[in-house]
Amino acid sequence: MIETPHRRFNPLTGEWVLVSPHRAKRPWLGQVEKTPPENLPQYDATCYLCPRNERAGGIMNPDYSGTFAFDNDFAALLPDSNQEEHGSNSSLLAAEPERGLCRVVCFSPRHDLTLPELEIPAIEKVVSTWAEHTAQLGAKDFIHYVQVFENKGAVMGCSNPHPHSQIWATGHIPNEPAKEQARQSAYFQENGRTLLLDYLAEEHKRTERIIIFNDHFTALIPFWAVWPFETLIIAHRNVRYLNELTDAEVNSQADIFKQITTRYDNLFETSFPYSMGFHQAPFDGGVHPEWTLHAHFYPPLLRSATVKKFMVGFEMLGMPQRDITPEVAAERLRDVPALHYKQR
Ligand SMILES: [Zn+2]
Ligand SMILES: [Zn+2]
């Protein structure tokens, strides 16, 4: 393992990250975050995501029992086709209309149960709901990308603690998947194989960054991780879309999600905040043999439940930088107990 400052390349985005292992032990005098309240109620009468409660505009939630999906009442995107043209005669002032749809997917009626606290069949239901809406939204002629994500924890700006995810479907491919599209496509054309499956094979030879794996998915800290405990969950075959997962793969996906989020919670014995999302192939009419479905977890916590990493200064103006190495982070996540701390 390299102990001196170095930089690592992210083949998915074409960007570099600075790694400074010698700084991992520096004292912390900065901001300390509040820990989230533990023991939320099973039902909260003031929560707009709980069953039977009223949402914006007087809409009532059904008395749902599994997952519950609805169009976001304050959507960032609208499906209307009659949008204004934004064209200007300067290439330096480029703008164009963007159509889309934003959905919310509640994991369960329970206000208090996060992903690691749900049983495997309930998580399978969440994965199947993501797959179903991916297919439904991806089939619309004006939709070219479906982004599934979860923003968890007040520290990530999540406004409601009721466990839920979002699906934003857009007319254009957003920046991050667009970078990955270009890189995976170039790699496939040059090598005739997919970038992520080749990368996965390298990681399984080395094992030092692998946290857990099952028959269909591997969870690892990528070689080029930016966030301290960032993970990448890669499908073992060339599945391009969530709605292409077989029943066995949905089960494996649920299993990996339960395992990795349990380990996250156990790391600092707190409900671990993160932004998580899937990257799947675009719905642009292409075949996309270069794509491998994967999920990224970007958690902000650095050394305890109350100390988070900031992306400021050199990172805002230069490039991302990390102190703890991906190898040490993977070792720590492998070493925590597999059983959730609330159940011990
Ligand atoms: Zn609720
Ligand atoms: Zn990705």
Side-chain angles (χ1 to χ4, degrees), residues 47 49-50 111 162:
C47 167
L49 297 177
C50 274
H111 186 80
H162 191 124

Side-chain angles (χ1 to χ4, degrees), residues 42-44 47-51 53 64 109-111 160-163:
Q42 293 188 15
Y43 166 81
D44 179 345
C47 167
Y48 64 87
L49 297 177
C50 274
N53 287 1
Y64 65 96
R110 289 281 297 266
H111 186 80
N160 189 325
H162 191 124

Side-chain angles (χ1 to χ4, degrees), residues 12 176-177 180 184 196 232 277-280 291 294-296 298:
L12 268 179
E176 294 305 314
E180 295 190 358
Q184 289 180 103
L196 272 179
L232 181 62
F278 287 93
H279 279 150
Q280 48 189 339
W291 262 93
H294 59 278
H296 298 275
Y298 299 133

Side-chain angles (χ1 to χ4, degrees), residues 96 113 290:
E96 53 190 18
L113 295 184
E290 72 279 4

Side-chain angles (χ1 to χ4, degrees), residues 35-40 271 342:
T35 48
E38 299 278 335
N39 304 320
L40 290 169
S271 188
K342 284 189 187 169

